[in-house]
Amino acid sequence: MIVFLLESNIKLEKERMYMGRKRLTQILPFLLPLRIWQKNLFYRIGMKFDGNEYAKTFGEKLDYEICNAKTLMINKDSGHDIIFQKNKVENLKIASKTMNHILIYPNETFSFYYLSKNSKKYGKYKDGLILVDGKIIAKEGGGLCHLSNLLHYIFLMSPLTVTERHGHKVKSFPNPDKSSLEGIDATIHGGWLDLKAKNETNDIYQIDISFDDEYMYGHILSNRKPTVDYKIINEDLHYVKENDQIFECVSVVQVETDKKDKNIFHHKKLYDEKVLIKYELPKDVEIKRK
């Protein structure tokens, strides 16, 4: 069976190359469920042999908070029926139950995919919005990137090391929270894309997720009192026009401050982000030409 699937996977990739940029599942959509099953199978097999010890132990809340953040859940500027935003909130609550209060011990790795694959025991996902082939569509389980976005942000504000993260290539509507940072999103797709963070310290860390009527809250907790404050900032945010398309470009920077004397002792650029903008920017935004 494994050999057959490997051969099938190679064949699919060759057919994709032969046909151009279109995938075989775009030509023959009825093959998509098989392709998804295949990708999930190989992804799970790969995780067994990738050398990572994945976090799977849950526990009572740890004593010390390392960082926290919140995100507005309903985006009224999505341009789509608000029911999909409400469905997204239900999906977020289901997915959060698969990882809330997970303990990440030294040398363990948090995996969004590894934990969220157990979501069925907490409820059935509703139709939410996702980006497929450059188009926004409604699909069961849509909107979970809202949770992975929040988790990625708090990982960056902690001693945890992000080992896998994939930013969205297209931004279809503005952030609902005008004060939120750019370039810190993290898209996930079972079998294809994951969000992972490794604990390379000697301390224990824990994820804590909660909700109220408007916001989703994320916290990183620890068994040891922190001595450092972490902050994430944007630098060099600008927009460029290339081949009649507008891109948002930004640097994501981590700043470490001593909790006692508040002195900054580490200012590090983590990465640069570039994303295609698919909505109309405000008229006062400067757009450079490349």
Side-chain angles (χ1 to χ4, degrees):
M1 175 64 76
I2 299 300
V3 173
F4 168 75
L5 287 171
L6 281 169
E7 290 175 346
S8 298
N9 192 43
I10 293 169
K11 185 178 179 182
L12 283 170
E13 293 305 321
K14 285 182 178 178
E15 289 173 338
R16 177 183 172 186
M17 290 173 66
Y18 176 76
M19 292 178 184
R21 301 190 65 171
K22 277 197 172 184
R23 298 186 299 274
L24 182 61
T25 51
Q26 291 175 298
I27 307 297
L28 303 172
F30 65 88
L31 290 177
L32 186 57
L34 176 63
R35 178 62 169 157
I36 292 173
W37 173 83
Q38 181 197 42
K39 286 290 289 186
N40 274 279
L41 175 63
F42 279 111
Y43 200 85
R44 293 181 188 185
I45 292 173
M47 292 181 79
K48 289 183 179 293
F49 299 101
D50 65 6
N52 289 318
E53 182 68 30
Y54 288 101
K56 53 183 176 292
T57 304
F58 295 82
E60 296 297 319
K61 289 174 66 172
L62 298 180
D63 293 332
Y64 301 104
E65 181 176 280
I66 302 298
C67 62
N68 67 79
K70 68 177 182 178
T71 178
L72 191 65
M73 292 186 290
I74 299 293
N75 188 346
K76 296 178 181 179
D77 297 325
S78 72
H80 296 266
D81 193 322
I82 196 67
I83 188 62
F84 297 122
Q85 293 290 314
K86 294 178 179 179
N87 287 350
K88 176 186 70 175
V89 173
E90 296 303 313
N91 293 341
L92 292 172
K93 290 179 178 179
I94 291 172
S96 71
K97 291 177 181 177
T98 69
M99 56 192 73
N100 199 20
H101 300 152
I102 189 75
L103 296 165
I104 310 171
Y105 287 93
N107 296 316
E108 284 191 340
T109 295
F110 166 91
S111 164
F112 192 102
Y113 174 79
Y114 182 84
L115 295 167
S116 62
K117 63 184 173 63
N118 299 317
S119 63
K120 288 184 179 179
K121 63 182 179 181
Y122 297 108
K124 181 177 173 58
Y125 286 138
K126 296 182 178 180
D127 286 347
L129 300 177
I130 63 169
L131 183 67
V132 176
D133 298 326
K135 298 178 181 178
I136 295 291
I137 66 169
K139 189 174 181 181
E140 185 178 300
L144 295 187
C145 290
H146 208 127
L147 176 57
S148 56
N149 292 349
L150 177 65
L151 291 175
H152 178 239
Y153 182 33
I154 58 177
F155 288 158
L156 296 180
M157 292 194 293
S158 79
L160 296 170
T161 302
V162 176
T163 56
E164 183 178 346
R165 172 260 176 181
H166 306 271
H168 291 83
K169 300 303 181 185
V170 178
K171 193 172 177 181
S172 299
F173 37 77
N175 293 330
D177 187 347
K178 306 304 180 185
S179 64
S180 62
L181 293 172
E182 305 294 347
I184 59 167
D185 59 304
T187 182
I188 46 93
H189 192 302
W192 276 268
L193 308 174
D194 199 1
L195 172 65
K196 294 177 182 175
K198 187 172 183 178
N199 182 1
E200 298 178 325
T201 77
N202 295 320
D203 301 328
I204 303 170
Y205 295 97
Q206 184 181 44
I207 293 169
D208 178 56
I209 307 164
S210 58
F211 300 83
D212 63 18
D213 291 339
E214 294 184 274
Y215 289 92
M216 176 170 58
Y217 300 84
H219 306 257
I220 298 290
L221 308 178
S222 179
N223 64 323
R224 188 186 300 271
K225 190 174 183 179
T227 59
V228 175
D229 275 328
Y230 297 85
K231 185 178 181 181
I232 301 300
I233 61 174
N234 282 157
E235 290 184 350
D236 192 27
L237 174 62
H238 62 280
Y239 297 87
V240 295
K241 192 168 187 177
E242 301 177 9
N243 300 321
D244 294 324
Q245 294 183 314
I246 297 174
F247 293 87
E248 177 186 86
C249 304
V250 68
S251 297
V252 176
V253 175
Q254 183 189 65
V255 179
E256 294 183 34
T257 307
D258 187 277
K259 269 189 171 292
K260 273 189 176 181
D261 56 27
K262 305 300 180 183
N263 287 331
I264 295 176
F265 62 86
H266 196 199
H267 182 280
K268 177 185 178 183
K269 183 168 76 170
L270 301 178
Y271 56 86
D272 292 317
E273 192 78 349
K274 183 177 181 180
V275 60
L276 176 63
I277 297 296
K278 283 288 193 178
Y279 60 90
E280 188 174 349
L281 292 169
K283 293 182 179 180
D284 61 345
V285 171
E286 180 184 358
I287 301 174
K288 302 177 182 178
R289 290 187 177 273
K290 190 168 182 179

